[in-house]
Amino acid sequence: MTAGSEGRRAVTVAILSTIVFFTLVGIAITHAPGWPEVRRTFFDWGEFKASIPEIARAFLLNVKIFAIAEAFILVLALALAVIRSLPGPVFFPMRMLGIAYADFFRGVPTILVIALLGFGAPALQLSWVPLSTTFWGIVALVLVYTAYVSEVYRAGIESVHPSQDAAARSLGLSHWQSLRKVVLPQAVRRVIPPLLNDFIGLQKDTALVGFLGSVEAFKQSQIDAAATFNYTPFVAAAVLFVALTIPLARFTDWLVLRDRRRRQATGV
Amino acid sequence: MSEALVVDGLHKSFGTLEVLRGVDLAVAEHEVVCLIGASGSGKSTLLRCVNLLEPIDQGRIVVEGEEITAPGVNVNRIRRRIGIVFQAYNLFPHMSVLRNVTLAPTLALGTSRVQAEAEAKELLSRFGLADKRNDYPDSLSGGQQQRVAIVRALAMRPDLMLLDEVTSALDPELVAEVLEVIRELAAGGMTMLIATHEMGFARDIANRICFLDEGVILEQGPPEQMLTEPKEPRTQQFLQRIINAGRL
Ligand SMILES: Nc1ncnc2c1ncn2[C@@H]1O[C@H](COP(=O)(O)OP(=O)(O)OP(=O)(O)O)[C@@H](O)[C@H]1O
Ligand SMILES: [Mg+2]
């Protein structure tokens, strides 16, 4: 048998087994005793169409929160990871602070950090403290996710073999030059997939900001659901979140592949 | 003849393991010295100490008259003058061959990118790598990678080159091309300290061979004498083992 026909056979089998699997699951669900009721409250096409424009508009706030937070997180987390990788006793206090920060913000539930900052900071009534709940939601997400993402970066830095740094230093590069040009570029490339995981987590957690009152997609769907006693708006919000996640995931796969290809490329 | 490198009473331990126990060694300008010794005898450690990649415990290292182990010496400045090539090449995998070579001159010497590239291209062609300059290291053979590593070190125009078993990670048929490069460097008058297991090569290229044993230079002398009539029983033993292994 040729490789081509074997490949085609594999595709056929995959398609068939997928169809069978989902047919069975579909039958099981639609024959459940409560299905008619669930379908009416969760999968009402009319409700879906009616609620989605407004939820989509609210979802733009999620995207905005995500984009702003992510930009800060990528930079701050890298700084934190670098601080934790500083060698020598001089930097001991900074390393300790870095560790304490990462432990604290990975330990406290995100929703608590959001609540504490979102309700607490404005309550101080300081004239220079912004009152916007969205602002404080973003700050909370940045604080929490910086802790996670710095761990990802750190794992990347540690995965670069010390001989790379030794080679750079042996050529007369300073610690910073070696870090910037040799260690970090390799470290960051390696952690793109886990980094994306955290991106996706962050994207979902933007919904937590709704807890403070900011009308993002989840909050909007809550409002809609409460008005119509129908939960279809939640499904609409879920569809929007997933729709953003999938291209992000495919994009990372592509980045990883491109990097691998390029490293093995022979130039022209 | 002036000394390019003087190592004086060098001690170095890793934890409780004392690897170097008072190494004395001098390498003159344009001299090629080969360092031989059993695996684990401290050849790599000695070379790394000379390049200040390892802090030393005791003793002095003097390069071109300057004590590089003195307190307050700028290690980056010293390392620019001393090239080191490792057994495992240690090329930067995320950069093209050309960038591997130009990185240090542009960053550490402040050479302009244009000039660094011109010099790099010249060096690469000299060592038969002209057509590889846009390739990435992973796509090169071991011999090519090691030659790039040598070029990368040469691009800094070092006064002294340290080579650490640069052929021992290579397939046998790739060894010759790398040794050829080193011969050419020696012919050009480069001062070199070379740790090697290739006794035939050491005999060819070295002005002097030093045998490192139990943390000291136990015996040294011209290649012919060292390899055919060593005085110390331990040197004789070491060479006998190598002959038995078919490596001489
Ligand atoms: N960073 C380190 N930490 C602890 N021990 C080390 C370290 N580097 C080297 N050693 C130890 O020091 C001793 C000398 O090692 P070194 O690599 O210098 O030997 P070598 O002569 O180069 O050996 P080989 O011929 O196998 O390359 C060995 O016992 C080794 O295990
Ligand atoms: Mg060694």
Side-chain angles (χ1 to χ4, degrees), chain B residues 40-51:
Chain B
S41 58
K43 302 182 292 295
S44 300
T45 305
L46 175 55
L47 296 185
R48 292 172 61 88
C49 286
V50 172
N51 202 33

Side-chain angles (χ1 to χ4, degrees), chain B residues 8-44:
Chain B
D8 189 9
L10 177 60
H11 286 253
K12 169 71 189 174
S13 303
F14 293 108
T16 55
L17 175 71
E18 193 175 18
V19 179
L20 303 178
R21 311 169 182 221
V23 170
D24 296 310
L25 175 70
V27 180
E29 300 264 7
H30 311 303
E31 193 184 16
V32 176
V33 172
C34 281
L35 202 55
I36 61 173
S39 184
S41 58
K43 302 182 292 295
S44 300

Side-chain angles (χ1 to χ4, degrees), chain A residues 234-264:
Chain A
F234 289 132
V235 175
V239 166
L240 288 170
F241 276 101
V242 172
L244 192 60
T245 305
I246 291 174
L248 212 57
R250 295 292 79 77
F251 176 65
T252 331
D253 290 350
W254 176 79
L255 275 184
V256 171
L257 195 69
R258 189 192 64 167
D259 185 52
R260 188 177 313 144
R261 285 224 184 96
R262 197 169 58 183
R263 284 198 349 168
Q264 276 152 15

Side-chain angles (χ1 to χ4, degrees), chain A residues 15-266:
Chain A
I15 291 173
L16 281 179
S17 73
T18 309
I19 291 174
V20 170
F21 175 77
F22 281 104
T23 309
L24 289 177
V25 171
I27 290 171
I29 291 177
T30 51
H31 283 74
W35 170 245
E37 179 63 13
V38 167
R39 191 168 81 171
R40 197 184 58 72
T41 48
F42 281 89
F43 299 101
D44 185 318
W45 182 241
E47 283 292 336
F48 187 88
K49 275 198 299 193
S51 63
I52 202 149
E54 225 171 342
I55 296 176
R57 215 167 304 126
F59 189 64
L60 286 181
L61 181 59
N62 294 76
V63 174
K64 196 171 123 194
I65 293 171
F66 170 72
I68 295 172
E70 191 63 55
F72 280 98
I73 291 162
L74 284 174
V75 174
L76 294 177
L78 187 60
L80 186 61
V82 166
I83 286 170
R84 287 187 65 180
S85 78
L86 290 176
V90 183
F91 295 107
F92 179 76
M94 293 177 73
R95 285 200 298 272
M96 283 308 294
L97 277 176
I99 292 170
Y101 176 89
D103 285 355
F104 181 80
F105 281 104
R106 283 185 305 157
V108 182
T110 310
I111 190 78
L112 275 182
V113 179
I114 288 181
L116 285 173
L117 277 174
F119 297 136
L124 292 174
Q125 300 192 335
L126 292 168
S127 60
W128 50 271
V129 169
L131 294 174
S132 152
T133 53
T134 306
F135 173 86
W136 287 108
I138 291 174
V139 171
L141 287 174
V142 168
L143 287 174
V144 170
Y145 272 85
T146 292
Y148 281 105
V149 173
S150 80
E151 287 299 309
V152 172
Y153 278 132
R154 209 163 64 91
I157 291 173
E158 277 169 13
S159 79
V160 177
H161 197 272
S163 65
Q164 284 287 308
D165 180 58
R169 300 303 307 276
S170 78
L171 289 163
L173 267 56
S174 67
H175 177 78
W176 285 111
Q177 287 172 330
S178 167
L179 195 67
R180 218 176 64 236
K181 298 288 183 173
V182 174
V183 178
L184 288 183
Q186 296 185 61
V188 171
R189 274 177 180 78
R190 278 179 214 186
V191 297
I192 285 175
L195 218 49
L196 182 88
N197 259 337
D198 283 347
F199 276 30
I200 292 173
L202 172 68
Q203 190 205 309
K204 293 191 292 184
D205 278 356
T206 55
L208 296 175
V209 179
F211 179 63
L212 297 177
S214 301
V215 183
E216 47 67 61
F218 175 60
K219 185 77 183 174
Q220 181 64 50
S221 56
Q222 260 181 320
I223 294 169
D224 293 355
T228 59
F229 301 106
N230 187 295
Y231 297 120
T232 306
F234 289 132
V235 175
V239 166
L240 288 170
F241 276 101
V242 172
L244 192 60
T245 305
I246 291 174
L248 212 57
R250 295 292 79 77
F251 176 65
T252 331
D253 290 350
W254 176 79
L255 275 184
V256 171
L257 195 69
R258 189 192 64 167
D259 185 52
R260 188 177 313 144
R261 285 224 184 96
R262 197 169 58 183
R263 284 198 349 168
Q264 276 152 15
T266 42

Side-chain angles (χ1 to χ4, degrees), chain B residues 143-198:
Chain B
Q144 290 165 342
Q145 291 192 48
Q146 192 58 291
R147 283 185 284 148
V148 172
I150 293 172
V151 167
R152 181 176 69 175
L154 286 176
M156 294 297 286
R157 304 181 178 285
D159 300 325
L160 168 68
M161 285 279 276
L162 310 171
L163 308 183
D164 190 1
E165 298 196 30
V166 292
T167 58
S168 56
L170 297 178
D171 292 335
E173 73 270 18
L174 299 177
V175 169
E177 64 186 64
V178 173
L179 295 186
E180 198 44 52
V181 165
I182 301 170
R183 280 198 189 91
E184 193 182 322
L185 289 184
M190 177 62 75
T191 310
M192 288 189 281
L193 180 56
I194 305 175
T196 184
H197 280 154
E198 304 270 344

